[in-house]
Amino acid sequence: QVQVVESGGGLVQPGGSLRLSCAASVRIFSINTMGWYRQSPGKQRELVADITSVGTTNYVDSVKGRFTISRDNAKNTVYLQMNKLKPEDTAVYYCNAKRVVLGSWNDYWGQGTQVTVSS
């Protein structure tokens, strides 16, 4: 079982920055992929960015050049640095961990953290 806990959300003005953190209950090198998803009212949850155990990253087009995902294996934590924030980035952001156990993929989700971009 993997538990992930997000922190770092809040209210920020357009153009501002926030850093989200996701702390895992296990050593993150044992997790195949960790990622950030977001969901705003009336919309489906979407992948924002993810990072594999070997450091390969992937971003949705709308955040490329503005967001950076990174990992600190010593702290079992994954970060999402969000710069040049826009009102359309407003959403609940969820941390996700994907781990293969006995040949099956398992998904673990955090409780979410609200990010609001508004003047």
Side-chain angles (χ1 to χ4, degrees):
Q1 190 74 8
V2 178
Q3 293 181 326
V4 291
V5 179
E6 307 98 335
S7 61
L11 173 65
V12 63
Q13 291 186 342
S17 298
L18 280 175
R19 188 177 79 159
L20 304 182
S21 299
C22 173
S25 61
V26 300
R27 302 296 296 273
I28 61 173
F29 65 72
S30 71
I31 299 174
N32 298 82
T33 303
M34 292 194 70
W36 289 95
Y37 290 69
R38 66 186 178 187
Q39 187 169 22
S40 52
K43 294 188 177 181
Q44 289 188 332
R45 189 174 297 189
E46 67 168 352
L47 173 67
V48 177
D50 60 21
I51 185 166
T52 69
S53 58
V54 295
T56 303
T57 59
N58 175 53
Y59 298 90
V60 67
D61 285 346
S62 60
V63 308
K64 286 180 180 177
R66 300 189 298 122
F67 291 10
T68 303
I69 189 169
S70 62
R71 57 194 293 153
D72 185 335
N73 288 344
K75 295 182 178 180
N76 297 321
T77 300
V78 172
Y79 303 98
L80 184 68
Q81 178 67 43
M82 305 185 294
N83 298 328
K84 299 179 182 179
L85 282 160
K86 303 176 180 180
E88 51 263 43
D89 294 318
T90 296
V92 178
Y93 283 70
Y94 297 90
C95 180
N96 170 266
K98 298 184 187 299
R99 187 164 70 167
V100 175
V101 179
L102 299 178
S104 298
W105 282 95
N106 290 265
D107 271 282
Y108 305 92
W109 293 93
Q111 79 287 352
T113 185
Q114 177 71 46
V115 172
T116 302
V117 185
S118 175
S119 55

